[in-house]
Amino acid sequence: MSEIHITLADGSQRSFARGATATDVAMSIGPRLVKAAVAAEVNGHEADLNVALPDGASVAIITGDSDGGRHVLRHSTSHVMAQAVTQLFPGAKFSIGPAITDGFYYDFELPGAKTFSDDDLVAVDKRMREIIASDQPFVRSEMSIDDALELFADQPYKCEIIERVRALGDAPVDPDDDDVGVDAGEVDPGGTVSVYRNTPEFVDMCRGPHVPSTGKLGHFKLMKVAGAYWRGNEKGPMLQRIYGTAWDSRAALDEHLHRLVEAEKRDHRRLAVELDLLSFPNELGGGLAVWHPKGAIVRKQMEDYSRQRHQDGGYQFVYTPHLANGKLFETSGHLAWYKDGMYPPMEMDNGTYYLKPMNCPMHCLIFRSRQRSYRELPLRLFELGTVYRYERAGTLHGLMRIRGFTQDDSHIYCTEDQLQDEIASLLDFVLSVLRAFGFTDFTAYLSTRDAKKSVGSDEIWDKATEALREALVRHGLPFKVKPGDAAFYGPKIDIDVKDAIGRSWQLSTIQCDFTLPERFDLEYVGADNARHQPIMLHRALFGSIERFMGVLIEHFAGAFPAWLAPVQARILPVATAHEAYAQTTADALRAAGFRVDVVEANDQLGKRIRSAKLDKLPYVLVVGDDDVANHTLGVNPRGGEVERNVPVDDFVARLGEDVDAGVVLA
RNA sequence: GCCCAGAUAGCUCAGUCGGUAGAGCAUUUCACUCGUAAUGAAAAGGUCGAGAGUUCGAUUCUCUCUCUGGGCUCCA
């Protein structure tokens, strides 16, 4: 038999000479496909284009413009980078170099503990392009573990990976297991090791597949150098990581780089300064922000809305102090678990005080302040509570990760019977509030126990986890599980939202807690006149006001909807003669409840309009002779066309509608 | 906390191979009074992040610290 039969992706069958490869299959379809092909899927498994196909195989060609294809391009490019680095820095050890979202990285240890500089990056880039120009083949071979250990004898990280996989033996590899997942991509645990050789000198261990030759690559850019711990272990060696991005075409690469530039323009740290919303003065210390008047207006709108919704939702408002005796946090367990994350103690003559890192212990004290009846449950305590956490220096990030912040924090005490309903209605509440701020795309996560980082019995954890899971199922909100991601006191549901340019942010959290009620000896008198322990839910919708503000700034790119905008309309008199009318009109709009300012005619109109547009105001209003005569406005809406001769009353109604439309009480 | 890169006017940045600094925008003033994205002129604005060291002299070189950016780790 000299022919083999191949089934293509569309279901059709073709015959090829024995020994035919996926490249031959692609060639039989068309030359453009050959050019675009980077790998193949053979019987459901990714494979190199140039391996001989078995008879009867199902073959799909993977092209560079698919997700799988880009993955192959990126992974192959990372090999090229490793080769470039080992050429430029003889003696460099390389560890792992996977494809990641939008790109790839490779971790190195350079001889003499050298670190990469930006100049080195330029040199690496140049050498990579030489390697690509020389069109080296990626030649796959397989060998025994012992042979691989010998081949990589001078590459300790590779040897460590091989040894680890050998230690696993034939045990099935769980790609979600952090301890093996990284290595699993590099080595086949079946007892053999596959390697890809580009040159007599450069060979890397890899499961593949790869492009047939380096000539297929080239649309890449090295992005940055970073330190990264070997195997993610903080106690282990710090390797040098180079990140790059790679695409199937110049256009796709350029588009990606353009997206990065656009995302940078939305950066809340930049917009916060440009729009005069808030700042992070060095004098305050790291991770602490001050809110300027314009930012404070946005914040007040957020807070007012939040308070209104909580009031409507049956919450009771409370206030608690910013610091407390350390005994409180011993009782709660926070000192035992998070002392490093708390600001250091203040030794006073009557005890040791700490800034509060959480509001929950104080809310528990409120619950405990008197005997509680089952008739009071669910008891929902709400506070915009400001907390302080000493986040490690390297982790701070604008408003997103900050040391002093205010949570829209609530603790709900309820009976076991009420738990399901409470969580389910809470999910409705969360999504409804988030929708009011313009978010429509949500992802829920259920975080489960990490036995090493938690307190409480298995029974309690199981009960709490099931309650959350059941509520998610009942609610119909799709969710994913994050194993071991729970807080120390209980499992949680996190809600991520997608912003206007598709990035995900974790905002809301609902946490189930059997532990604090126990630690604080909380109890209520039930209908049976006996004492029972309530269950406690922790929840925040914004997460923190600061972080939510940061997300809003980036989501709206600083162009807040009318109900949130610090200035809703700016009136520009065409000339000084129109200023009195401008002021009168501004007063009328203010009387109608709007935030309006006037910029006098000291500069040209065009310049003032430009300035107002850069401030991203919802409306710019121009008033001249006609308007003074007719009690009208020129209306220049953000993102719309200029309208002339709009009666003031009409505009008042219109702005009112805009504002109302922003607060949909869904 | 770890690796790398930074910190110069309110903002964005240039510059000084060691001799105490400059632009644009913003601000103020003057002129212009203009109908939808940058009028012109002038003025003012900086102990060049902080401290120490080397030096006749440090914003510049060295060290430490603080803060920032990108990662890693962490995130109650």
Side-chain angles (χ1 to χ4, degrees):
Chain A
M1 195 171 78
S2 62
E3 285 204 330
I4 57 172
H5 301 282
I6 300 299
T7 304
L8 301 181
D10 64 1
S12 65
Q13 298 211 340
R14 295 193 188 193
S15 301
F16 295 90
R18 181 157 295 281
T21 66
T23 301
D24 296 324
V25 172
M27 221 176 304
S28 76
I29 297 171
R32 283 180 57 193
L33 184 61
V34 176
K35 194 156 178 279
V38 295
E41 194 174 298
V42 179
N43 293 329
H45 296 287
E46 288 193 339
D48 294 330
L49 283 169
N50 56 14
V51 295
L53 297 169
D55 189 18
S58 296
V59 176
I61 304 299
I62 299 175
T63 55
D65 58 357
S66 66
D67 285 347
R70 279 185 287 266
H71 188 92
V72 171
L73 287 173
R74 288 163 187 161
H75 196 177
S76 296
T77 306
S78 86
H79 277 233
V80 170
M81 182 164 77
Q83 183 186 158
V85 168
T86 52
Q87 286 178 11
L88 292 168
F89 303 92
K93 314 292 184 223
F94 47 110
S95 63
I96 58 168
I100 54 175
T101 307
D102 293 340
F104 61 90
Y105 68 79
Y106 217 118
D107 286 349
F108 304 96
E109 180 185 294
L110 299 181
K114 189 191 139 48
T115 54
F116 287 116
S117 68
D118 288 345
D119 288 345
D120 293 333
L121 225 54
V122 174
V124 171
D125 180 281
K126 182 162 174 278
R127 181 58 61 94
M128 286 174 69
R129 294 190 193 280
E130 289 164 8
I131 292 168
I132 287 166
S134 66
D135 199 21
Q136 300 169 357
F138 276 87
V139 181
R140 179 189 177 96
S141 57
E142 288 176 16
M143 59 185 64
S144 69
I145 282 178
D146 286 335
D147 287 348
L149 285 171
E150 194 183 325
L151 179 64
F152 292 107
D154 61 345
Q155 289 292 343
Y157 296 105
K158 295 292 177 192
C159 290
E160 190 178 325
I161 293 168
I162 297 167
E163 292 288 6
R164 283 177 55 81
V165 174
R166 171 151 72 183
L168 287 172
D170 293 333
V173 174
D174 175 4
D176 287 334
D177 183 339
D178 289 343
D179 287 342
V180 298
V182 174
D183 294 349
E186 302 286 321
V187 183
D188 177 1
T192 61
V193 175
S194 57
V195 301
Y196 282 80
R197 184 177 287 282
N198 290 111
T199 69
E201 293 76 32
F202 183 77
V203 60
D204 194 0
M205 182 167 75
C206 187
R207 191 161 63 177
H210 281 286
V211 294
S213 65
T214 58
K216 282 262 186 188
L217 310 172
H219 305 294
F220 75 91
K221 181 173 162 60
L222 300 186
M223 304 300 284
K224 57 206 168 198
V225 187
Y229 295 109
W230 167 235
R231 309 197 57 78
N233 177 5
E234 200 178 356
K235 305 281 189 296
M238 168 79 61
L239 304 177
Q240 291 283 304
R241 175 173 298 179
I242 300 178
Y243 282 96
T245 185
W247 298 80
D248 54 296
S249 69
R250 180 60 195 259
L253 172 62
D254 288 348
E255 200 182 310
H256 173 67
L257 296 176
H258 180 69
R259 275 197 300 272
L260 292 181
V261 171
E262 288 303 307
E264 201 176 324
K265 282 187 195 160
R266 311 175 83 99
D267 190 309
H268 72 279
R269 293 162 300 184
R270 171 192 180 130
L271 287 170
V273 173
E274 285 177 6
L275 301 177
D276 196 17
L277 300 172
L278 38 82
S279 59
F280 300 85
N282 282 355
E283 294 83 345
L284 273 186
L288 298 168
V290 289
W291 294 67
H292 301 193
K294 284 185 178 146
I297 289 172
V298 181
R299 176 172 178 155
K300 182 168 182 298
Q301 295 299 315
M302 291 162 56
E303 292 183 353
D304 287 351
Y305 179 71
S306 173
R307 285 200 181 92
Q308 185 62 52
R309 291 299 305 271
H310 281 89
Q311 187 170 318
D312 297 346
Y315 287 77
Q316 304 183 55
F317 294 1
V318 298
Y319 294 92
T320 62
H322 288 211
L323 43 74
N325 193 305
K327 290 194 172 114
L328 180 68
F329 300 115
E330 279 170 23
T331 303
S332 69
H334 288 98
L335 267 177
W337 285 93
Y338 295 102
K339 194 169 198 296
D340 290 346
M342 292 168 66
Y343 273 85
M346 289 165 269
E347 302 294 346
M348 309 304 290
D349 53 3
N350 65 345
T352 304
Y353 285 72
Y354 289 87
L355 284 168
K356 68 172 168 181
M358 288 288 277
N359 303 301
C360 32
M362 302 199 181
H363 290 187
C364 285
L365 295 181
I366 293 172
F367 182 93
R368 208 173 65 177
S369 63
R370 63 172 169 78
Q371 195 170 62
R372 299 286 175 181
S373 153
Y374 74 98
R375 295 176 191 276
E376 294 182 77
L377 308 184
L379 180 74
R380 308 182 183 97
L381 302 181
F382 173 77
E383 176 178 17
L384 291 171
T386 302
V387 298
Y388 299 89
R389 298 180 183 178
Y390 195 75
E391 302 285 0
R392 296 163 86 184
T395 63
L396 299 173
H397 182 92
L399 289 170
M400 304 304 189
R401 191 79 180 270
I402 194 169
R403 285 183 176 146
F405 58 96
T406 301
Q407 297 177 308
D408 59 331
D409 204 4
S410 177
H411 297 95
I412 300 171
Y413 302 88
C414 64
T415 68
E416 209 169 315
D417 291 345
Q418 293 167 333
L419 187 59
Q420 292 279 332
D421 285 344
E422 194 62 27
I423 298 170
S425 72
L426 209 39
L427 285 171
D428 283 333
F429 189 56
V430 169
L431 298 189
S432 160
V433 170
L434 294 180
R435 282 195 187 99
F437 286 87
F439 298 106
T440 53
D441 194 341
F442 308 106
T443 311
Y445 295 92
L446 175 64
S447 294
T448 59
R449 181 176 198 182
D450 179 342
K452 287 171 290 199
K453 294 184 188 171
S454 56
V455 295
S457 71
D458 288 347
E459 187 200 344
I460 278 176
W461 272 83
D462 289 347
K463 203 170 5 173
T465 307
E466 275 320 299
L468 291 172
R469 185 193 303 274
E470 192 55 34
L472 280 165
V473 170
R474 264 177 54 188
H475 188 276
L477 186 65
F479 66 97
K480 296 172 190 157
V481 176
K482 283 188 184 170
D485 216 36
F488 75 89
Y489 49 70
K492 62 176 178 174
I493 294 171
D494 287 332
I495 310 278
D496 286 18
V497 303
K498 269 218 172 90
D499 72 10
I501 59 172
R503 295 168 304 177
S504 280
W505 303 96
Q506 196 248 298
L507 296 176
S508 313
T509 184
I510 300 172
Q511 308 179 351
C512 195
D513 185 355
F514 290 78
T515 302
L516 277 188
E518 172 125 24
R519 284 173 166 267
F520 278 91
D521 266 330
L522 302 185
E523 53 187 32
Y524 64 91
V525 178
D528 56 1
N529 202 28
R531 294 166 188 277
H532 302 274
Q533 193 167 82
I535 297 167
M536 181 175 176
L537 290 170
H538 306 243
R539 43 108 292 181
L541 310 190
F542 296 152
S544 91
I545 303 264
E546 284 76 4
R547 182 180 163 79
F548 196 74
M549 176 74 168
V551 174
L552 282 184
I553 292 172
E554 303 210 359
H555 178 61
F556 294 121
F560 291 105
W563 75 282
L564 286 170
V567 176
Q568 294 166 322
R570 171 167 299 163
I571 305 184
L572 305 178
V574 171
T576 305
H578 313 119
E579 273 170 19
Y581 176 72
Q583 292 295 356
T584 312
T585 310
D587 288 343
L589 289 170
R590 288 186 193 117
F594 300 121
R595 299 183 290 275
V596 180
D597 63 9
V598 175
V599 175
E600 297 180 347
N602 293 327
D603 283 310
Q604 283 186 310
L605 181 61
K607 180 169 182 174
R608 286 177 287 148
I609 288 178
R610 175 181 156 79
S611 168
K613 290 294 180 186
L614 292 176
D615 284 346
K616 303 182 187 243
L617 305 184
Y619 287 102
V620 180
L621 308 174
V622 176
V623 294
D625 287 337
D626 297 350
D627 301 300
V628 173
N630 304 319
H631 198 56
T632 56
L633 298 161
V635 177
N636 185 337
R638 186 173 62 205
E641 296 292 317
V642 172
E643 301 155 46
R644 290 287 300 272
N645 306 313
V646 177
V648 174
D649 291 345
D650 288 5
F651 179 73
V652 168
R654 173 171 171 182
L655 183 51
E657 281 168 25
D658 282 0
V659 170
D660 291 344
V663 196
V664 181
L665 297 177

